[in-house]
Amino acid sequence: MTNVSSILRIFDVEIVRFGIVGVAASLTHFVSVYLIVSVFGLQPILANIFAFLIAFGVSYIGHSLWTFSHKKHQHNKTVARFLGVAIFSFALNEGGYYLLLEYTQLEYLVSLLIVLIIVPVITFILSKYWAFS
């Protein structure tokens, strides 16, 4: 029973830490889109690409140094896997964002918020069980 308790405790800590880092990366992403659109005048869909790259750095550093720090991982292997997760997540992010912008009347920031709530669940599962394994 002790092993099960330990595993559950580690999972609880990981999910909380993943959430905190994810919120920081999502806020970085959200604010970056807003600033890129309002300051540089780029279209939201293009601004989303640059914002994703900025948020990727926040996400990888946070997950590597804090969320999954208890796992022994080699950064060159892990960063490549996490980049794969990030690219997949970005495809979901950009595709979902495009669909919401194109086929709904939602404001661009509301559409972005919807995507930034849904995609991280998939990212956590892939990060925990593949990228940082």
Side-chain angles (χ1 to χ4, degrees):
M1 196 65 151
T2 309
N3 289 339
V4 172
S5 297
S6 297
I7 291 168
L8 288 176
R9 235 186 343 263
I10 288 171
F11 185 77
D12 287 344
V13 169
E14 280 180 352
I15 199 119
V16 168
R17 288 181 176 185
F18 187 89
I20 292 169
V21 172
V23 166
S26 292
L27 285 173
T28 300
H29 190 141
F30 189 85
V31 169
S32 296
V33 167
Y34 174 75
L35 290 174
I36 293 168
V37 168
S38 62
V39 173
F40 298 106
L42 290 180
Q43 293 297 315
I45 200 78
L46 183 58
N48 193 45
I49 295 169
F50 293 108
F52 185 86
L53 293 172
I54 295 165
F56 172 79
V58 171
S59 184
Y60 180 75
I61 291 168
H63 292 317
S64 180
L65 298 178
W66 194 46
T67 306
F68 301 112
S69 63
H70 65 282
K71 293 186 173 190
K72 304 283 189 250
H73 58 271
Q74 297 172 337
H75 286 286
N76 57 347
K77 177 181 169 186
T78 304
V79 76
R81 285 184 173 186
F82 191 68
L83 182 59
V85 169
I87 291 168
F88 178 74
S89 297
F90 179 71
L92 291 176
N93 172 296
E94 192 75 351
Y97 193 42
Y98 171 79
L99 291 173
L100 289 170
L101 289 173
E102 190 69 24
Y103 297 107
T104 71
Q105 297 298 321
L106 295 172
E107 206 239 15
Y108 80 95
L109 292 176
V110 173
S111 296
L112 181 62
L113 190 58
I114 290 168
V115 170
L116 292 178
I117 290 170
I118 294 170
V119 173
V121 173
I122 297 162
T123 304
F124 173 76
I125 293 166
L126 291 173
S127 296
K128 177 175 176 55
Y129 294 106
W130 185 63
F132 289 94
S133 64

